[in-house]
Amino acid sequence: MQFQGQIRKMITENGQPIQYYLNLSHDLININQLIHKKIKIRHSGYECMNCSSDEKIFRMGFCKKCFFESPYASDTIIRPELSTAHLGIAERDLAVEQEIQLQPHIVYLAYTGDVKVGVTRESQVPTRWIDQGATFALAIAKTDNRYEAGMIEVALKAHLPDKTNWRKMLQDDFEDDLDLLDFRNKVAEYFPDDFRKFSMDNGNVVKLDYPYQAPEKITSFTLDKNPEFEGILTGIKGQYLQFEGGHFINVRAHEGYVATLEIMKNNPSIS
Ligand SMILES: [Zn+2]
């Protein structure tokens, strides 16, 4: 069986375990069903997520031109505290920025091998947590817009990491309960005074269950270095596919790549 198309980040459905769907040009393939099967991924080109050009992908699924011009790749996507739509000031395209920024946002703590702080639109909970490979997450503030959430994050990241260390995330097999509520109480004092009113003390710790077991060693590959990869799928965590031998590919980092996915017949020489 073979599928071909533009890679988009995997679609997820929270459950026990989380269900993952590979998104190839909007054809969804349930990947949990492919665990223990041999699959082959072959890179065949590019298709920008914004303009569909076949230029090489520069970053975040965009060609170079779109990365520097599209409002969907602007600085405030990565740095919410720079948001200005609430002041009516455009960065690249005010209408798009108002739509993205002027909606409820959540500041959260997530355990991804370390406890980190992050910001997301409320509508992206728990998707954002799953994409990062968090095993536990807790909403700690709810704001009216992206700027306010960004300001809280900036204050907290002086005390906590705000980036996911992918290797730690993949190495982690945290089984016991981690007390994120205790962390929340510790960081509460770091909220800027003007933003204290947004803090939430009624959030519940969410535990996320991945079809995954950490291997002994972890190596990652990209389709740039390895345009054709064949292996037995053994698990999924965050946006990573895990293959036998501890080989990983970050699907999200390949958004905009065009690829073929082939599900191989079971080879009797492989047990
Ligand atoms: Zn483009």
Side-chain angles (χ1 to χ4, degrees):
M1 229 185 331
Q2 190 167 307
F3 303 89
Q4 205 234 347
Q6 175 203 46
I7 299 177
R8 298 192 155 235
K9 81 180 179 89
M10 292 185 281
I11 305 275
T12 59
E13 210 172 75
N14 198 8
Q16 291 175 323
I18 295 162
Q19 295 295 310
Y20 278 92
Y21 300 87
L22 193 64
N23 184 352
L24 280 182
S25 297
H26 303 292
D27 275 344
L28 302 185
I29 303 141
N30 179 282
I31 317 177
N32 298 61
Q33 293 179 357
L34 301 183
I35 292 175
H36 306 307
K37 291 203 162 68
K38 191 180 199 184
I39 63 179
K40 187 197 263 189
I41 306 169
R42 191 160 39 81
H43 180 208
S44 57
Y46 301 100
E47 185 184 333
C48 171
M49 305 251 293
N50 191 53
C51 74
S52 302
S53 116
D54 59 4
E55 297 274 314
K56 189 172 175 0
I57 294 299
F58 183 69
R59 259 197 215 167
M60 288 167 64
F62 296 119
C63 70
K64 196 167 187 178
K65 182 174 189 292
C66 290
F67 180 76
F68 287 107
E69 292 177 7
S70 164
Y72 295 100
S74 67
D75 286 344
T76 53
I77 301 291
I78 305 290
R79 299 185 58 194
E81 72 276 16
L82 302 177
S83 299
T84 53
H86 63 292
L87 304 172
I89 299 172
E91 193 184 358
R92 293 182 178 181
D93 180 333
L94 187 58
V96 172
E97 287 147 12
Q98 283 173 331
E99 200 186 310
I100 295 172
Q101 297 173 21
L102 306 187
Q103 57 173 297
H105 276 64
I106 295 289
V107 183
Y108 60 86
L109 297 178
Y111 180 76
T112 55
D114 283 317
V115 177
K116 58 161 270 178
V117 59
V119 161
T120 191
R121 285 169 281 167
E122 188 181 28
S123 62
Q124 291 302 299
V125 169
T127 306
R128 180 78 184 130
W129 299 339
I130 295 171
D131 287 349
Q132 292 179 335
T135 39
F136 297 95
L138 173 66
I140 60 168
K142 179 177 168 178
T143 64
D144 298 329
N145 63 46
R146 188 165 183 82
Y147 167 76
E148 293 155 348
M151 292 302 285
I152 296 170
E153 184 189 37
V154 166
L156 298 189
K157 76 186 189 191
H159 307 275
L160 288 174
D162 63 318
K163 303 268 189 301
T164 300
N165 176 327
W166 65 270
R167 193 175 284 278
K168 267 191 175 172
M169 180 276 283
L170 292 173
Q171 270 162 353
D172 185 60
D173 242 346
F174 211 94
E175 299 277 329
D176 303 319
D177 281 345
L178 171 84
D179 200 351
L180 280 183
L181 293 169
D182 188 43
F183 261 90
R184 180 193 65 199
N185 297 337
K186 281 185 195 145
V187 299
E189 61 175 301
Y190 304 129
F191 270 58
D193 285 339
D194 292 352
F195 298 88
R196 247 172 235 287
K197 61 184 173 198
F198 298 116
S199 72
M200 280 169 70
D201 50 17
N202 57 350
N204 293 318
V205 175
V206 174
K207 186 175 190 300
L208 297 155
D209 178 9
Y210 299 90
Y212 182 75
Q213 274 189 316
E216 301 227 323
K217 79 177 176 70
I218 289 166
T219 57
S220 76
F221 69 94
T222 63
L223 292 180
D224 294 311
K225 286 187 198 141
N226 209 343
E228 189 168 307
F229 179 87
E230 191 178 303
I232 295 175
L233 185 72
T234 51
I236 319 162
K237 189 178 185 189
Q239 283 283 329
Y240 283 83
L241 296 180
Q242 175 194 27
F243 292 91
E244 196 170 66
H247 300 285
F248 287 86
I249 183 169
N250 179 350
V251 174
R252 190 172 200 176
H254 289 82
E255 281 193 314
Y257 284 57
V258 176
T260 305
L261 173 80
E262 197 178 337
I263 301 157
M264 315 290 281
K265 287 230 162 62
N266 276 344
N267 184 333
S269 70
I270 293 167
S271 57

